[in-house]
């Protein structure tokens, strides 16, 4: 009699074993940070990210007035390509 889901395509040696998950360094970093980060630390990090994002908008607005939108986008693309 076959199992409910149909015949298994896995060999008997592989059946029953949990698949090995491959974690990237970023996933490992996120997992370690989330395990050790308290609610207060998370709130402070979110506030800091919002502050940096807001200040960056002011600098971008000022740069757009000085060099123009096309040159600004080109410079931004070059910086992104380097990182």
């Amino acid at each position: 009699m076959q199992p409910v889901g149909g015949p298994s395509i896995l060999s008997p040696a592989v059946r029953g074993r949990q698949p090995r998950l491959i974690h990237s360094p970023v996933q490992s970093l996120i997992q370690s940070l989330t395990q050790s980060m308290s609610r207060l630390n998370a709130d402070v990090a979110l506030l800091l990210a919002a502050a940096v994002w807001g200040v960056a908008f002011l600098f971008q607005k000022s740069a757009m007035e000085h060099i123009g939108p096309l040159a600004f986008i080109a410079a931004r693309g070059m910086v992104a390509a380097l990182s």
Side-chain angles (χ1 to χ4, degrees), residues 7-23:
S8 175
I9 60 171
L10 298 176
S11 70
V14 176
R15 272 188 232 136
R17 269 198 261 160
Q18 293 292 330
R20 194 179 87 189
L21 299 176
I22 300 172
H23 292 287

Side-chain angles (χ1 to χ4, degrees), residues 2-70:
Q2 292 181 359
V4 176
S8 175
I9 60 171
L10 298 176
S11 70
V14 176
R15 272 188 232 136
R17 269 198 261 160
Q18 293 292 330
R20 194 179 87 189
L21 299 176
I22 300 172
H23 292 287
S24 71
V26 173
Q27 287 173 331
S28 298
L29 176 65
I30 290 172
Q31 185 177 16
S32 66
L33 285 175
T34 56
Q35 289 174 351
S36 65
M37 188 179 291
S38 70
R39 175 67 186 228
L40 179 62
N41 288 345
D43 289 341
V44 169
L46 185 60
L47 185 63
L48 181 64
V52 168
W53 194 314
V55 170
F57 174 75
L58 294 175
F59 285 118
Q60 290 172 8
K61 186 176 178 181
S62 174
M64 291 273 282
E65 292 172 359
H66 286 75
I67 64 172
L70 191 57

